[in-house]
Amino acid sequence: MRFRRALVPFVAVMAACRGDAAPATAESSTGTDSAGLSSGTQAISGEGDPRLDLPPETDGGPGGCVGDGDCVEIDVLFVIDNSGTMGEEQLNLAANFRKLIEQLQNLEDPLGNPINPSVNIMVTNTDFGHPRCTEFEKPDYSPRQGAPVYEGCNARINRFTGLDPQDPLIIEAACTTYCPTDIAPADPFIHFDALGPNLPGGPAPVADALSCIGPQGIDGCGYEAPLEVMLHALNPDACWNRPDACQDDPEWGQYSRGFLRPGAVLAVAIVTDEEDCSVAAPDGWTWFADRGNQLYWENDREGNPAPSSAICWNAGLPC
C-alpha cells in the first residue's frame, strides 16, 4: 500500500546486532518482552522497499474507519530528540511535516480509490531521566518518560533555551517559524479521518498542528534513551493508551480516547543525532555513576576517564 512511501523517510529502521557478518535476514517471529508488550518481526529480504508490519489483507478495514475502499487505521509515534544539539534538526523536521500529512491524507488503494485513513499521531521526546542530568534540569522541567507532548511549542517556549548557565543557546525559531500561533489537539495526540481532525476552532490544518507539537526544544538530557521511551510510550496500560483506567489522574483524567488502537498499523519514527543510551533503571545507571565501573568510559581532555555520552557508543559496539 502506498502509505509506506509516506512513512519510510521518517521511520528509523533498527537491526539487532549480530555476532557474524551474515546478511540481515529475519524469519517471522512473535514474542512477549519483560514488560508484557507483544513484539513481532516480519520477514526482511534485504531487497526492495522497507516493510512495515502490516495486518493481513481483508475485504474491509478495521472498525472505526470512515471512508471509501479499504479503510486503514494508522498509529504513528514520533520520538524526537530534545537535547541541546537538535534545534536546527527540529526546525527542518517541522518544515517537512506537511509532506508527510499530505501523503497520509491522500492514500489510495491499489485501484486508485481514496482510502481516507484514520490516523493517530503522538509525539514524545528522548528524555527518560538520568542521574547525570537531574542537577542541570530547569526548575520547570520534568522528563516526559514516554508520555505524549501535546501542548503547542509556544506554550513551552522556555524549552528552546539551552542549559549553558553562562551563554545558553536560544533557538526559538525552531518553534515559531512554522508555529506562529499554537494549534493543539483536543486529545494527547493528533487524530484525523474522513470526518476531520480533533483540532479546535474548525478544520485547522493537521500539518500546522504537528508543526506546533512536534518541536521538543533543546533543554533535555544528553543521554538520549529513545528505545526506553518508545517502550513506555507504547505500554498498553499507560494512561494515554488506556484513559478509562486513569479517570482520577490530574493530567489524563480529562481524556477519553487512547492513542494505541487494536489492529491499527503502528509506525515509530525516532529522530535523533546520537546513539541510544537506554538502560534498565536504576541498576543500569551504575555504568555512568559508578567510578568502579569505567569499562565504557572515555578519557577527557586531561586524560582522565569521564562518564560522557560516549559510554552509549562504546557499550553499543560489542552489543
Side-chain angles (χ1 to χ4, degrees), residues 74-86:
I74 306 172
D75 296 340
V76 183
L77 170 65
F78 278 94
V79 182
I80 299 176
D81 191 339
N82 65 326
S83 64
T85 59
M86 285 293 295

Side-chain angles (χ1 to χ4, degrees), residues 152-212:
C153 55
N154 288 282
R156 42 188 174 84
I157 199 67
N158 188 38
R159 303 278 73 85
F160 296 85
T161 298
L163 295 174
D164 188 331
Q166 305 299 326
D167 185 22
L169 174 64
I170 300 175
I171 189 164
E172 295 179 353
C175 165
T176 58
T177 300
Y178 295 98
C179 182
T181 302
D182 281 342
I183 301 175
D187 299 290
F189 52 88
I190 294 173
H191 171 84
F192 66 89
D193 54 31
L195 299 179
N198 62 340
L199 299 170
V206 174
D208 291 346
L210 185 54
S211 293
C212 283

Side-chain angles (χ1 to χ4, degrees), residues 285-309:
W285 286 332
T286 61
W287 293 100
F288 304 86
D290 185 358
R291 291 197 168 272
N293 184 8
Q294 301 179 3
L295 178 62
Y296 298 121
W297 290 27
E298 194 80 15
N299 289 340
D300 60 18
R301 294 178 180 178
E302 286 73 37
N304 301 313
S308 69
S309 59

Side-chain angles (χ1 to χ4, degrees), residues 3-310:
F3 67 84
R4 286 186 294 176
R5 296 182 183 178
L7 295 176
V8 164
F10 292 86
V11 175
V13 180
M14 291 165 286
C17 292
R18 300 170 57 91
D20 53 32
T25 302
E27 297 179 355
S28 297
S29 63
T30 59
T32 302
D33 64 17
S34 60
L37 303 180
S38 62
S39 60
T41 304
Q42 209 175 15
I44 302 173
S45 66
E47 300 177 358
D49 293 335
R51 296 176 60 186
L52 296 177
D53 190 10
L54 300 178
E57 293 185 4
T58 61
D59 293 334
C65 287
V66 178
D68 302 323
D70 295 327
C71 184
V72 170
E73 289 182 335
I74 306 172
D75 296 340
V76 183
L77 170 65
F78 278 94
V79 182
I80 299 176
D81 191 339
N82 65 326
S83 64
T85 59
M86 285 293 295
E88 293 183 2
E89 287 83 351
Q90 291 178 32
L91 176 62
N92 186 45
L93 188 64
N96 285 280
F97 277 138
R98 184 171 301 280
K99 298 177 182 178
L100 173 66
I101 297 302
E102 288 176 352
Q103 295 234 14
L104 287 172
Q105 290 175 327
N106 294 290
L107 292 178
E108 297 177 347
D109 67 16
L111 299 178
N113 299 312
I115 291 177
N116 293 322
S118 174
V119 180
N120 285 347
I121 301 177
M122 174 177 147
V123 181
T124 190
N125 57 50
T126 55
D127 195 345
F128 192 74
H130 197 286
R132 289 275 175 189
C133 292
T134 303
E135 63 179 296
F136 303 104
E137 291 173 359
K138 297 175 183 176
D140 65 341
Y141 182 86
S142 296
R144 287 304 279 171
Q145 298 186 322
V149 176
Y150 48 88
E151 286 186 313
C153 55
N154 288 282
R156 42 188 174 84
I157 199 67
N158 188 38
R159 303 278 73 85
F160 296 85
T161 298
L163 295 174
D164 188 331
Q166 305 299 326
D167 185 22
L169 174 64
I170 300 175
I171 189 164
E172 295 179 353
C175 165
T176 58
T177 300
Y178 295 98
C179 182
T181 302
D182 281 342
I183 301 175
D187 299 290
F189 52 88
I190 294 173
H191 171 84
F192 66 89
D193 54 31
L195 299 179
N198 62 340
L199 299 170
V206 174
D208 291 346
L210 185 54
S211 293
C212 283
I213 70 170
Q216 296 298 293
I218 56 172
D219 61 348
C221 182
Y223 295 99
E224 296 91 330
L227 295 181
E228 184 71 10
V229 164
M230 178 183 68
L231 178 69
H232 286 261
L234 300 179
N235 182 349
D237 292 324
C239 288
W240 48 91
N241 293 320
R242 192 184 172 191
D244 61 305
C246 300
Q247 296 177 353
D248 296 329
D249 188 278
E251 181 174 6
W252 309 108
Q254 60 182 308
Y255 301 109
S256 60
R257 179 159 52 178
F259 167 68
L260 283 181
R261 296 171 293 180
V265 174
L266 174 64
V268 178
I270 293 175
V271 184
T272 182
D273 64 352
E274 278 205 280
E275 291 71 32
D276 180 77
C277 244
S278 299
V279 294
D283 293 343
W285 286 332
T286 61
W287 293 100
F288 304 86
D290 185 358
R291 291 197 168 272
N293 184 8
Q294 301 179 3
L295 178 62
Y296 298 121
W297 290 27
E298 194 80 15
N299 289 340
D300 60 18
R301 294 178 180 178
E302 286 73 37
N304 301 313
S308 69
S309 59

